[in-house]
Amino acid sequence: MTAIKENILAAKVRSDFPILQQEVNGKPLIYLDSAATSQKPQAVLDTLRHYYNHDNANVHRGAHTLSVRATEAYEAARDKVAKFVNAQYREEIIFTRNATEAINLVAYSWALTNLKPGDEIISTVMEHHSNFVPWQIMAAKTGAVIKYVGLTENEEFDLEQYKTLLSERTKLVAVVHVSNTLGCINPVETIISLAHEVGAKVLIDGCQSVPHKSIDVQKIDCDWLVASGHKMCAPTGIGFLYGKRSLLEEMPPFMGGGEMISEVFFEGFTTGELPHKFEAGTPAIAEAIALGAAVDYLSAVGMDNIRAYEEELTAYLFKKLATIPNLKIYGPKPTAEGKGRAALASFNVEGIHASDLSTLLDHEGIAIRSGHHCTQPLHRLFNASGSARASLYFYNTREEIDVFIKVLKETIDFFNSVME
Ligand SMILES: *Cc1c(COP(=O)(O)O)cnc(C)c1O
């Protein structure tokens, strides 16, 4: 039953993605790198073109028709994102260039003014570099200390260890929702409520969760959530920060310039209202509007449909990968129904370099990633310089997984025969 449903969904959405209708190296493209960036549906591409063909003008400061149109579309995109993550207030959504900029906004605005020597930041060993480095910079500037939650035997977030790290010294918990390497889904509701019990604030890195399942920021009660548009069918150059309004109101501006001010004098300035206080300079107008279109598109497909579909694909992918000898997959195993992890697999095959695998797969039109996936500390824990990663989205099919597995097996056989 589910298999039939799944094929209907795949068939329905696939034609929306023009880039997928091509051959690469003489073979139909099989794109298995959506955790790095997703492809964009026609509706998003049309939105970009329409904006530049009809409405392009600078936002917020003009009284002319095009400026009003651009402003309305830009602010409508904010409403769409707010609704998508169920923010209580529209001004809780701040447009940024990407998730990295959103994390840096919180670091330079909140952490720099609130952390002092001896304060503790809790993070995890599985963070993306974007959720490591800003806190390391803040620790160096403020004298705060970073503590890292490690992994359980199943290579998941160690909740018991986390509990032992929490104390009244903990001021901030910065944790990824879904790991882009392990694929584990962290228990953010529990993590957040335990942090709040000791008075700490929590930032959730939603880069790999927001594109794949419905997120309710009020329900999980995070203080901040960040995501990148380009991993959720929108263009590059746009992402967002969600923050609780009371917190954002207390936070000083991150960058200074136009848009973020109320009044400017020779002696100084007064800051503007939320959300503009954090959006200095001309924003990525077209990209934000296109992010709104991406959110419309994802909502029309249905986030629950996407999650259910990706669970099916996960179960199938892991069943197939299990047939390959000497292949180590990082992170937890999915259930037979594909639950309990994200639709991606980072792996290493004994004796074969991940980059050699991805190069040979590319010859067959199959795009997988190899490297450290911006999680070097995690790879060091595994004594691996890198790994190969196949990551899925709702436009991928079982047939693509079949071809991927077949070519992967042939490639491994080839390397093994050469090495003999
Ligand atoms: C991609 C990613 C980031 C960084 O996103 P940018 O778009 O490069 O800012 C951060 N965290 C996770 C988990 C990611 O997957």
Side-chain angles (χ1 to χ4, degrees):
M1 172 214 66
T2 35
I4 294 166
K5 218 166 76 187
E6 165 195 319
N7 282 331
I8 291 168
L9 181 65
K12 236 162 75 176
V13 299
R14 238 185 123 75
S15 57
D16 294 338
F17 292 82
I19 202 169
L20 298 177
Q21 331 293 324
Q22 68 176 302
E23 295 197 342
V24 167
N25 296 323
K27 298 283 162 60
L29 167 65
I30 296 181
Y31 185 76
L32 304 179
D33 196 20
S34 293
T37 200
S38 74
Q39 297 303 349
K40 325 301 176 197
Q42 190 65 49
V44 168
L45 304 175
D46 289 346
T47 299
L48 279 174
R49 173 182 280 265
H50 184 274
Y51 170 75
Y52 281 120
N53 278 342
H54 297 275
D55 303 330
N56 177 52
N58 210 331
V59 289
H60 297 142
R61 286 175 297 253
H64 63 80
T65 302
L66 293 193
S67 179
V68 170
R69 270 196 224 149
T71 305
E72 281 174 358
Y74 179 74
E75 291 302 330
R78 193 188 314 277
D79 291 328
K80 290 174 187 184
V81 173
K83 184 157 172 264
F84 192 63
V85 297
N86 197 32
Q88 193 174 356
Y89 307 105
R90 65 185 308 281
E91 63 269 28
E92 293 181 319
I93 301 298
I94 311 295
F95 285 127
T96 60
R97 262 189 315 136
N98 47 37
T100 303
E101 187 179 272
I103 295 171
N104 277 276
L105 190 166
V106 175
Y108 281 90
S109 169
W110 183 85
L112 200 53
T113 41
N114 284 280
L115 297 183
K116 22 177 225 318
D119 284 349
E120 292 181 359
I121 300 168
I122 296 182
S123 192
T124 80
V125 297
M126 69 178 85
E127 299 308 313
H128 188 283
H129 296 163
S130 295
N131 206 24
F132 265 118
V133 181
W135 308 122
Q136 291 173 338
I137 293 172
M138 288 306 127
K141 282 185 186 291
T142 65
V145 175
I146 310 175
K147 304 233 156 140
Y148 296 109
V149 178
L151 305 180
T152 62
E153 262 179 26
N154 292 336
E155 300 176 350
E156 291 183 278
F157 182 89
D158 189 341
L159 192 58
E160 293 313 310
Q161 191 208 352
Y162 171 63
K163 288 177 188 166
T164 68
L165 293 180
L166 280 169
S167 76
E168 70 284 357
R169 289 186 303 279
T170 313
K171 293 294 176 309
L172 172 70
V173 175
V175 55
V176 70
H177 191 174
V178 172
S179 162
N180 65 315
T181 300
L182 299 173
C184 58
I185 303 168
N186 292 331
V188 286
E189 273 183 65
T190 309
I191 291 170
I192 292 165
S193 73
L194 289 170
H196 285 166
E197 276 175 27
V198 299
K201 303 275 183 272
V202 186
L203 179 140
I204 298 295
D205 174 352
C207 281
Q208 300 293 342
S209 57
V210 173
H212 299 277
K213 55 202 223 130
S214 69
I215 301 290
D216 183 334
V217 290
Q218 294 188 69
K219 180 156 175 280
I220 66 173
D221 198 29
C222 55
D223 297 291
W224 301 283
L225 172 105
V226 303
S228 275
H230 70 90
K231 293 181 183 175
M232 50 190 287
C233 295
T236 52
I238 189 73
F240 68 90
L241 167 72
Y242 156 82
K244 282 184 182 161
R245 189 169 72 174
S246 55
L247 251 179
L248 294 178
E249 274 167 354
E250 280 169 24
M251 286 161 54
F254 168 40
M255 290 194 280
E259 289 277 324
M260 53 70 72
I261 47 88
S262 170
E263 287 189 285
V264 181
F265 310 93
F266 289 120
E267 299 76 21
F269 69 96
T270 55
T271 42
E273 298 283 311
L274 285 178
H276 310 297
K277 176 169 113 179
F278 291 111
E279 294 181 359
T282 300
I285 304 166
E287 290 80 358
I289 295 169
L291 173 59
V295 161
D296 285 343
Y297 179 83
L298 289 172
S299 303
V301 177
M303 294 312 292
D304 291 342
N305 292 335
I306 289 174
R307 179 64 195 143
Y309 176 39
E310 290 187 11
E311 282 173 355
E312 289 281 330
L313 288 182
T314 303
Y316 193 69
L317 174 67
F318 275 70
K319 201 177 84 188
K320 293 272 164 172
L321 282 171
T323 65
I324 302 178
N326 302 324
L327 182 138
K328 151 83 182 156
I329 307 176
Y330 300 99
K333 285 199 171 63
T335 66
E337 297 80 39
K339 294 187 193 303
R341 64 163 296 133
L344 63 87
S346 303
F347 59 91
N348 268 309
V349 182
E350 209 179 290
I352 304 176
H353 209 284
S355 65
D356 292 337
L357 282 180
S358 65
T359 303
L360 285 200
L361 263 68
D362 181 62
H363 291 167
E364 302 297 315
I366 302 168
I368 66 165
R369 186 145 292 254
S370 64
H372 51 63
H373 323 309
C374 295
T375 57
Q376 278 183 5
L378 181 67
H379 279 87
R380 286 209 182 88
L381 273 187
F382 290 131
N383 283 320
S385 61
S387 58
R389 182 183 69 191
S391 57
L392 308 172
Y393 209 5
F394 59 99
Y395 40 64
N396 290 120
T397 64
R398 277 181 185 234
E399 291 71 24
E400 288 180 311
I401 294 174
D402 287 338
V403 177
F404 162 59
I405 296 290
K406 178 174 164 285
V407 175
L408 180 61
K409 279 182 172 163
E410 287 167 2
T411 307
I412 293 169
D413 288 346
F414 166 74
F415 276 111
N416 287 338
S417 68
V418 175
M419 287 182 295
E420 261 161 24

